[in-house]
Amino acid sequence: MPESIQIKTDSQTRRLYANDASMYEEIPKGVAFPRSLREIQQLVLQANKQEFSITPRSAGTSLAGQTTGDGVIMDVSRHMTQILDLDPQNRMAHVQPGVIRDTLNREAGKHQLLFGPDTATTNRCMLGGMIGNNSCGSFSIKYGTTREHVLEIEAVLSDGTRAVFKPLSPEELEEKKQLENLEGHIYRGVLQLIEEHREQILQAYPHPDIIRRNTGYALDKLCTMQPFDPNGRPFNMAELLCGSEGTLAITASAKINLVPLDPCRLVLVPHFSSIREAMEATVEIVKHDPAAVELVDNIILDATKGNIEQRKNRFFLDGEPHCILIVQLEGQRMEELLQRSSELKEALQKKSYGYSTPILTEPDEVTRVWELRKAGLGLLMGLGADAPSPSFCEDTAVRVQDLPDYVDDFQALLDKYDTNCVFYAHASVGELHLRPVIDIHTPEGVEKMKAMAEEIAELVHSYNGSLSGEHGDGRARAPYIPKVLGREMIPLLHKVKEMFDPNYILNPGKIVRALPIDEDLRFSASGYRKTDIDTQFKWRNEGSFGDALELCNGAGVCRKLAESGGTMCPSYMATREEKDSTRGRANLFRQLFSGKQADAFNSEELRDALDLCLSCKACKSECPANVDMARMKAEFMQGWHEQHGLTLSERFFGHTGKLYPLASLLPELTNWFIKSNPGKELLKQFIGIHPNRNLPAFASQTFRSWFKSHRSIASSKKVVLLVDLFTDYHEPEIGKAAVSLLEQLGYEVMVPGIKELGRTYLSKGMVKEVKQMVNSNIPPLFNYVDRGLPIVGLEPSEILTLRDEYPDLCDNEQLDKAKAVADHTYQFEEFINQLDNTSILRSASGTKVYVHGHCHAKSLVGMEPTMRLLKKAGFEPVDLQTGCCGMAGSFGYEHDHYEVSMEIGELVLFPALRDLPDDALVCAPGFSCRHQVRDGTGRKAYHPAELLAQNNPALEVGSPAI
């Protein structure tokens, strides 16, 4: 076996792995990315030889700090992602630790099976992490914890040897005890420890009725196995490894059981006026065999109002409840579920629990309810400076019947410390995620957290509860295990650790030998310095640039894969590297700017991490914390340019407004040049354009030239049409179609002299130049608004700049005007939808049209306006749900980005289009999207205005093949 595995020790990589979703930050010595069990063994041998520790990590979404460490982080998420076997007959899967839970369930679902534990992070959490934390999720009342589903674990021990832990017969167990190696030593030691201390352990550990019980090592589980309980299940050390947080052994693969998937489900959502009422109702609800009962309080419900993605999922709410319970029933027949739901609703009404209880049966509606619930943690963590709530006591569990009194006692504790708290999560099994509002940026806040942690541990102990239900002890709760289990248990936990790992190389400082809760905090009151520098953006919504840099909480939604849906984060979906995720970039931003302040504008490592950011803005809506990486990138690039200047390529793509008038003087010659081999070679050498790309052709007549000679109708109804450079010079037919439609609807179209709003400048980080443009454009645009005229745009990224960036770039004295302009700015589809006299548009007679949405529009507005307009026009629109196309303005044209651009297209969009009939109509409102569709599939995609105008016999416009 080779002596070593490569460990990356560069500053960027080490910074990227300094955080998880907890409140801790530790810069590791390095990061390793093993490809196999053999390479894990190499790493362990190297750690023993060189005396460094190993912290195993998969998605890095841990909340208690168990995947941070100052040794080597071992990331299995990059390479160890294979489903090694899926056996439907035996309902079993064999997986590597980097397999994402939802990926496994997509494959298992083909056989009507699933892996039951269902955390809020299932679209990115991985089986290795679920084993390490003994994850549970919303359906643990039905499916239990990960521990109950793990059949066997193939592990690497602390000496580098391989061991397989699985159920053992008495004879097999005896054979293990006779082994003359570390594995044999472990079996002998653990069995002796249980034999000597069984009664003591069972007395000290949480009440057996509590399903979620991850405090310390699971010695109580071993106590209920053979040979200690003759009627117990066969002895299986794998149950001890579940919840051990990588401190005992490293999981290289696991065999897990799958369960049948119930075909039918529905959801009841009782609304309550108090938390106690909801908890009392929970005691009644669990008698009705629910699959899940989840509490969501008003703090999280209010947070959904400010999240673009989750606002649409509030449809089921009746008024402003103090809290709700999401109750899911599952079974084989919907008729049976409807009967059960009626009985449950009647039982609640008899006891006067809840003021409203909607029942939802449509699959899409049920999914949306759960999307809102799953967003809860990220939304809460994203409240930022308004309501900082560190994760230190958010995982307590008690018996269900104890919940009403427990929440009252907890509220009394909150009152004592003059704070409030979110109450949410797994009411069905007695676990609530309680996150008191405490500002640990301050010394006073840190001391309050420490004092509360002590008292909460004592409170949990008084209920014979568990301090950690599923999030693990990690660093945040390990210091308080003695209070919950009793000090006499601590020597036993130490013995277990040392049987497995005598040299403490496996994730030290977690569960045993804990450091103080306030050491290595991300926002250390003594060591952290908030970013306070002059910026181009005002960061008005966030408060400041420094506040914006602290928004990311590490939840890692940006690490979901394309098959999980959504758009964020296209670069990560293509490369699967942490530096190409929103979280990775945000962590670098915060670390570098808090340390270097304005000098961070010169950071090569941050510049590198931002290189593949497409500025798609998906994170602005899909990230629960609403991190706007596109804006952060633009801010950084402005600072970078001030020190390094602009490249010729950046000038070329940013200053299109200056170059286009020249190029359009002789459009035929320009078009010949950009398509010719000599022209392509020159563009590659000097501008960096990939030769496989064809720059958009210039029209023989610009839109503005056509409009000058166009005989506009005179009308009392007027509309301002902002025509972007791309419509003007490349696709004037779209502008003509829009004019024809608007005039058909009785509007006099006005085209202002404003030719660009600054989008191309922003995409290249020329923010200072955009600010001048912003302050110059706002007065004439406001004059239109002041006259009551709507402003309509055709290119989503261009027109939405008025809504998104202008109010944050303008001078203070222009702010009110900028807001007024933003409020009266519309995408073409939005404007037409709000009109009453649109019956003339209905002529498509049910023709299907397949829609790919523009990233900026999906993030800031959503797909509804485009889908609604096409439906209003008689089409049958189909949302392809294809994420980002990969072009992103100039990004896909650039030589260094071309391959990634096409890889992103191949994730969802290109395959979806290739599966369509050859004559299928495709709609793409975005200019760059239409060109990516053409380059990637050879298909032509249409702007909505084209489809409506060309399909309307009343208008003299050419027609697509329908």
Side-chain angles (χ1 to χ4, degrees), residues 281-299:
T282 299
V283 178
E284 174 64 31
I285 291 169
V286 296
K287 299 174 185 176
H288 293 256
D289 193 25
V293 185
E294 294 288 295
L295 174 70
V296 182
D297 78 352
N298 61 320
I299 296 176

Side-chain angles (χ1 to χ4, degrees), residues 24 140 183 289 349 604 614 652 655 672 679 684 707 937:
Y24 295 101
S140 57
E183 184 182 1
D289 193 25
Q349 289 173 339
E604 292 275 1
L614 286 81
F652 178 84
H655 292 154
W672 171 85
K684 174 186 172 183
F707 190 77
T937 68

Side-chain angles (χ1 to χ4, degrees), residues 738-752:
V739 170
S740 297
L741 278 164
L742 291 167
E743 290 182 345
Q744 185 75 8
L745 292 167
Y747 278 86
E748 179 181 343
V749 179
M750 305 173 66
V751 177

Side-chain angles (χ1 to χ4, degrees), residues 835-893:
L835 304 180
D836 295 327
N837 60 332
T838 55
S839 57
I840 63 167
L841 299 177
R842 190 167 184 82
S843 57
S845 304
T847 303
K848 275 193 175 181
V849 58
Y850 298 89
V851 186
H852 167 73
H854 188 283
C855 289
H856 287 198
K858 284 186 286 192
S859 174
L860 301 173
V861 179
M863 288 291 290
E864 194 273 339
T866 302
M867 304 298 285
R868 182 181 168 200
L869 177 59
L870 291 171
K871 187 176 291 186
K872 185 179 286 190
F875 290 100
E876 183 184 334
V878 178
D879 184 355
L880 289 171
Q881 299 183 354
T882 38
C884 179
C885 73
M887 183 66 91
S890 66
F891 181 90
Y893 288 97

Side-chain angles (χ1 to χ4, degrees), residues 106-120:
R106 274 189 288 273
E107 294 302 312
K110 297 174 183 177
H111 307 282
Q112 300 304 305
L113 298 171
L114 82 158
F115 178 69
D118 179 59
T119 67

